[in-house]
Amino acid sequence: MNQFHWTYWDHFGRQHVVGILHGIKTGHLVIHLNSNVLIIDFNVFKAKKYSFLINEEICELQIEEGDDGFKYDLGVNERQAAERKALKKKEEQKFLYQQIGAVVLTSLLLVTITLLLYYIKH
């Protein structure tokens, strides 16, 4: 049985341990994150790729067949990570505009009410 683990540090500085258990004879595969099972797969005898999230980062575990057995590699999908960051930035900008609009509308409402009360009294 092959066992590997990687230590992944997220952008908040937190440590995550990604590990795998891969039965060479059975092909059973378990991928776990911080001792919590993420993926269970059976009959993994050929190259395969698994994607999962650690916080908001898309990580990919690649299993490749080699001459001397299987090779395992863990990495971050940079293209998808860049797309997610661009979407998040766009959403944050939209939220900022909504906040500014809410402040402007509230201010206009308060000014209107103040002027109405002023003219009613005089």
Side-chain angles (χ1 to χ4, degrees):
M1 176 171 290
N2 288 343
Q3 296 183 20
F4 290 95
H5 75 275
W6 296 266
T7 302
Y8 175 80
W9 295 87
D10 65 16
H11 59 279
F12 296 114
R14 292 181 293 212
Q15 177 181 349
H16 302 278
V17 177
V18 178
I20 62 167
L21 303 167
H22 187 196
I24 301 303
K25 292 180 182 177
T26 63
H28 299 345
L29 176 79
V30 175
I31 302 172
H32 56 88
L33 172 65
N34 300 328
S35 300
N36 295 319
V37 175
L38 290 179
I39 299 170
I40 298 175
D41 199 1
F42 302 101
N43 300 318
V44 180
F45 295 110
K46 296 184 179 185
K48 203 163 185 183
K49 182 173 27 173
Y50 298 92
S51 297
F52 52 90
L53 288 175
I54 298 179
N55 289 332
E56 294 187 12
E57 295 292 326
I58 299 173
C59 295
E60 292 183 336
L61 175 68
Q62 288 196 290
I63 300 173
E64 297 176 1
E65 292 179 272
D67 295 334
D68 54 345
F70 289 97
K71 296 180 182 179
Y72 307 93
D73 184 43
L74 179 69
V76 175
N77 185 320
E78 297 296 333
R79 182 185 57 80
Q80 288 181 344
E83 289 173 4
R84 286 178 64 89
K85 286 179 184 176
L87 279 174
K88 186 174 181 179
K89 185 176 180 180
K90 190 174 183 180
E91 287 176 8
E92 288 174 352
Q93 189 174 26
K94 180 180 175 183
F95 183 66
L96 176 65
Y97 291 145
Q98 289 173 345
Q99 286 179 322
I100 291 170
V103 168
V104 168
L105 287 175
T106 303
S107 299
L108 285 174
L109 181 65
L110 290 174
V111 167
T112 304
I113 290 171
T114 303
L115 289 174
L116 283 174
L117 290 175
Y118 178 78
Y119 285 118
I120 290 174
K121 286 185 178 181
H122 289 75

